Amino acid sequence: MGPSSFAHRLAISTAFPRLSVGMNESVNIGFLGPLSGPVESWGLPGLNGCRIWVDWLNRNGGLMIGGRRYPIEIKAYDCGYDGARALDGAHELIEKHDIKLLMMLGGDTFTPLRDYLGERRILTSTLLPSDLSPDSPYLIAPSELHPVYNVTGVEWLAKNRPALRKVALCSQNDALGLPSLATYRAAFAAENMPLVKQIQYDADRADAAAIVQPMLEADPDILCWCTSHTPMVHAMTEYAHAQGFKGQILSCTMDQYDRLVDRTSAEFMEDVVFQFPDFDDPLLREKAFFFNQPHVFFEEYNRRFPGTWSAVSWEYAAILDIWHSAVEKCNSIGSGSVLAAMKQLGHVTHAFGPARWWGQDMFGIDNALIGDWPVVTIRNGKARIVGFGSLPDWLARHGDLLKQEMMALGQLWDQRVSRGHGYISQRDRSAVP
């Protein structure tokens, strides 16, 4: 849990004898996420990254507990982005495979599992801190602070491209989109950037032209896709290109951006802003980093799983890295002991440097890690980090504004628990049929 990560320790571990006692028993990790369908790019690439991490660990002796080493096995279940399938998958992973950690994308797939996982005290990770609440004490968000990190892209644009003022944005009506919409609205309000068009849409039956055309008609400087699924991000971006849009595009993710460069043009995609870097980025070499050498992970990933790198390729593996450190710290795989070990130091090194546990004010529990987050643009067809924004600093200045916007969309933890993730304030509904 200190500055030394698993990958860093691997560099010296080969100099010492390995203890093989216990190697016939495995410690099982559950991966319950979208391995197919429209949300696949936020699931399957993450599983691929975990496979690399597990191979690294097992080649170097496995997980050390009580003087014995155990191999790690990943047990995966494809739930798409469907709550009923997720519940079936959780039953199978827990009851058949006795998993010690369950990794999920979260959102609408976590809601049906909340009580079941809580009763069994299964340590569960989500990529969506908006899932957190006091009634889920074993749910953690140690890797991704979605959607709060999106404020850094807006802040960077306001500082570096101040001529861009008018914003048109769109968002899915689901547990991925609504918190993102609230966050972007707060971020733009903090910079006094007016919203000239807001559209909410059903991700299951959305049409890019029906969403983007009204946004274009509002004559914006910035088109913001919030946290839309990858196929929709591509469709909306291609539509904006076909209509001759010359302004700024801002999106939470831009997975497979190289395909968009090919389908539109390098000129059109130049300076698109999003939040997820490639791990061969020079600026990551300067960060205190959980993999120690992110470019090595990036190279192996692309060699083994070419053309599939996405926003989540590293995120689930980052969770495993933090979990691994906590297990070896407390000498246990019990949920309570591991969670206590994670929290003991208060500060943890996450993907982009030092972070601390946070979330009480927004989510009712300090189970999310918060620190710096990168701002990424496309330069000459390649994603490049242009800066890092401090989420603690932004929240210190504008946290009340974010809380107001979350409340307006029913996304505070008490609202979600009582009304469900799908609640939408009537005054904010502007859905596309």
Side-chain angles (χ1 to χ4, degrees), residues 404-419:
Q404 291 169 16
E405 293 292 351
M406 287 284 192
M407 182 182 296
L409 290 175
Q411 296 304 300
L412 294 181
W413 72 266
D414 52 343
Q415 294 174 307
R416 289 183 290 103
V417 170
S418 62
R419 300 181 183 181

Side-chain angles (χ1 to χ4, degrees), residues 121-123 138 330 332-343:
R121 298 185 178 183
I122 301 297
L123 185 62
Y138 293 97
C330 68
S332 170
I333 51 176
S335 294
S337 297
V338 174
L339 182 58
M342 286 183 177
K343 295 290 193 71

Side-chain angles (χ1 to χ4, degrees), residues 150-159 184 187-188 191 193 250:
N150 287 325
V151 303
T152 64
V154 174
E155 186 177 49
W156 187 89
L157 278 175
K159 180 179 179 180
Y184 275 112
F188 287 123
E191 303 296 342
M193 299 168 71
L250 173 65

Side-chain angles (χ1 to χ4, degrees), residues 292-337:
N292 197 41
Q293 294 181 307
H295 63 286
V296 175
F297 176 81
F298 186 72
E299 290 167 1
E300 180 165 346
Y301 184 98
N302 284 291
R303 182 172 62 253
R304 291 176 56 174
F305 310 104
T308 66
W309 180 267
S310 82
V312 306
S313 293
W314 56 272
E315 289 191 316
Y316 297 94
I319 294 167
L320 286 175
D321 205 63
I322 293 171
W323 174 83
H324 171 262
S325 295
V327 167
E328 294 199 342
K329 179 181 180 64
C330 68
N331 234 4
S332 170
I333 51 176
S335 294
S337 297

Side-chain angles (χ1 to χ4, degrees), residues 41 133 176 189 325:
S41 69
S133 67
L176 284 165
S325 295

Side-chain angles (χ1 to χ4, degrees), residues 106-215:
D108 292 315
T109 58
F110 173 74
T111 307
L113 281 62
R114 184 185 301 275
D115 292 342
Y116 174 71
L117 296 176
E119 290 169 1
R120 284 152 183 79
R121 298 185 178 183
I122 301 297
L123 185 62
T124 304
S125 67
T126 178
L127 298 189
L128 306 178
S130 49
D131 290 337
L132 300 177
S133 67
D135 62 345
S136 298
Y138 293 97
L139 180 68
I140 56 173
S143 182
E144 179 179 346
L145 200 72
H146 178 274
V148 182
Y149 53 66
N150 287 325
V151 303
T152 64
V154 174
E155 186 177 49
W156 187 89
L157 278 175
K159 180 179 179 180
N160 290 276
R161 299 173 189 167
L164 303 176
R165 304 299 303 165
K166 297 181 297 179
V167 181
L169 75 170
C170 63
S171 172
Q172 300 168 180
N173 278 329
D174 61 16
L176 284 165
L178 292 175
S180 183
L181 176 61
T183 300
Y184 275 112
R185 294 199 325 191
F188 287 123
E191 303 296 342
N192 296 312
M193 299 168 71
L195 303 180
V196 296
K197 190 67 176 180
Q198 300 181 59
I199 292 177
Q200 297 176 26
Y201 66 88
D202 184 342
D204 293 330
R205 53 189 181 93
D207 175 73
I211 297 168
V212 180
Q213 187 57 43
M215 297 170 69

Side-chain angles (χ1 to χ4, degrees), residues 94-109:
I94 292 168
E95 295 168 15
K96 182 178 178 180
H97 298 294
D98 190 28
I99 59 170
K100 302 306 178 185
L101 170 69
L102 179 64
M103 294 187 292
M104 299 185 66
L105 170 62
D108 292 315
T109 58

